[in-house]
Amino acid sequence: MNFNKLFDFLSELEKNNSKVWMDTNRKRYKEIRTEFISWLDDLDNTLADIDKYYYPTPGKKGINRINNNLMFHPNKPIYKDHFGAGMDKAPGTGDFYIQIGINQSLLAGGIWRPDPKSLRSIRDAIDYNGEELIKIINKDSFKETFGSLYIDEKLKAAPKGFNKEHPYIDLLRNKSYAVVHELSKDQVLSNDFKEIIIKVYREMLPFRRYLNNALTV
């Protein structure tokens, strides 16, 4: 994958974020998109080899649209400043997300703003066995890779059905349960980029499995 070509395209798109410009450069966009999908296919095979529970996710299935959803975010530009894809995308679970962009590149995973039923399932899992989650996120290598859980809105009070004195109340008040690993442009362009992804994927696995188990019980 020629990520330099991808970065150059996105840089020009950011300066000319319009349907007219995109229509003029549609062939170029499709070529880069096709190359990105092929790269995702290769990564999909690699992740399947290292994780026996991996859910096969071909590039065409994992890749996100480059168009922003203007119905819900009318003030956003027409097109995104990145290419993104979800891997290990089993139905009803949290995926492993990859984003390559000119303003931000990252690897992420977990559950962002789950629906009420899923959120309750995660909180019930923490109530039943929060010690396991604490052990996962307090591991030194986990902290080095992700810092802490993704910072999102929290409830000001204890969730309904939970005591404010609960030993894991800080986790229970979360509205999202996700982690993010930021990537530099140099890392994306490096020869060992794939190895970086694999290392982060492995480190994230126990966290994602904990959440996905909570959703499927």
mmCIF file of all heavy atoms in Angstrom, residues 14 19 28 52 137 139:
data_model
loop_
_atom_site.group_PDB
_atom_site.id
_atom_site.type_symbol
_atom_site.label_atom_id
_atom_site.label_comp_id
_atom_site.label_asym_id
_atom_site.label_seq_id
_atom_site.Cartn_x
_atom_site.Cartn_y
_atom_site.Cartn_z
ATOM 1 N N GLU A 14 -8.774 17.796 1.551
ATOM 2 C CA GLU A 14 -9.079 18.711 2.652
ATOM 3 C C GLU A 14 -9.122 20.163 2.165
ATOM 4 O O GLU A 14 -9.935 20.967 2.640
ATOM 5 C CB GLU A 14 -8.043 18.560 3.758
ATOM 6 C CG GLU A 14 -8.376 19.400 4.993
ATOM 7 C CD GLU A 14 -7.354 19.258 6.106
ATOM 8 O OE1 GLU A 14 -6.149 19.318 5.822
ATOM 9 O OE2 GLU A 14 -7.770 19.096 7.263
ATOM 10 N N LYS A 19 -17.969 18.227 -3.858
ATOM 11 C CA LYS A 19 -18.361 17.161 -4.775
ATOM 12 C C LYS A 19 -17.754 17.402 -6.153
ATOM 13 O O LYS A 19 -17.391 16.449 -6.857
ATOM 14 C CB LYS A 19 -19.882 17.087 -4.876
ATOM 15 C CG LYS A 19 -20.380 15.898 -5.703
ATOM 16 C CD LYS A 19 -21.882 15.820 -5.702
ATOM 17 C CE LYS A 19 -22.374 14.582 -6.447
ATOM 18 N NZ LYS A 19 -21.896 14.542 -7.852
ATOM 19 N N ARG A 28 -8.999 8.667 -9.410
ATOM 20 C CA ARG A 28 -7.864 8.624 -8.482
ATOM 21 C C ARG A 28 -8.304 8.080 -7.126
ATOM 22 O O ARG A 28 -7.623 7.244 -6.528
ATOM 23 C CB ARG A 28 -7.306 10.037 -8.342
ATOM 24 C CG ARG A 28 -6.098 10.178 -7.469
ATOM 25 C CD ARG A 28 -5.712 11.640 -7.428
ATOM 26 N NE ARG A 28 -4.711 11.916 -6.414
ATOM 27 C CZ ARG A 28 -4.478 13.142 -5.949
ATOM 28 N NH1 ARG A 28 -5.167 14.179 -6.416
ATOM 29 N NH2 ARG A 28 -3.551 13.327 -5.023
ATOM 30 N N LYS A 52 -7.305 -17.145 16.837
ATOM 31 C CA LYS A 52 -8.212 -18.217 16.420
ATOM 32 C C LYS A 52 -9.685 -17.831 16.529
ATOM 33 O O LYS A 52 -10.543 -18.485 15.939
ATOM 34 C CB LYS A 52 -7.934 -19.488 17.212
ATOM 35 C CG LYS A 52 -8.232 -19.398 18.697
ATOM 36 C CD LYS A 52 -7.933 -20.729 19.381
ATOM 37 C CE LYS A 52 -8.236 -20.681 20.875
ATOM 38 N NZ LYS A 52 -7.948 -21.989 21.537
ATOM 39 N N ILE A 137 -6.731 -3.464 32.384
ATOM 40 C CA ILE A 137 -6.396 -2.075 32.071
ATOM 41 C C ILE A 137 -5.276 -1.516 32.946
ATOM 42 O O ILE A 137 -4.713 -0.460 32.634
ATOM 43 C CB ILE A 137 -7.642 -1.170 32.158
ATOM 44 C CG1 ILE A 137 -8.190 -1.094 33.583
ATOM 45 C CG2 ILE A 137 -8.719 -1.650 31.201
ATOM 46 C CD1 ILE A 137 -9.406 -0.181 33.718
ATOM 47 N N LYS A 139 -2.537 -3.313 33.554
ATOM 48 C CA LYS A 139 -1.300 -3.962 33.114
ATOM 49 C C LYS A 139 -0.366 -2.916 32.529
ATOM 50 O O LYS A 139 -0.788 -2.024 31.782
ATOM 51 C CB LYS A 139 -1.640 -5.024 32.061
ATOM 52 C CG LYS A 139 -0.474 -5.894 31.661
ATOM 53 C CD LYS A 139 -0.935 -6.935 30.639
ATOM 54 C CE LYS A 139 0.230 -7.775 30.140
ATOM 55 N NZ LYS A 139 -0.202 -8.734 29.090
#
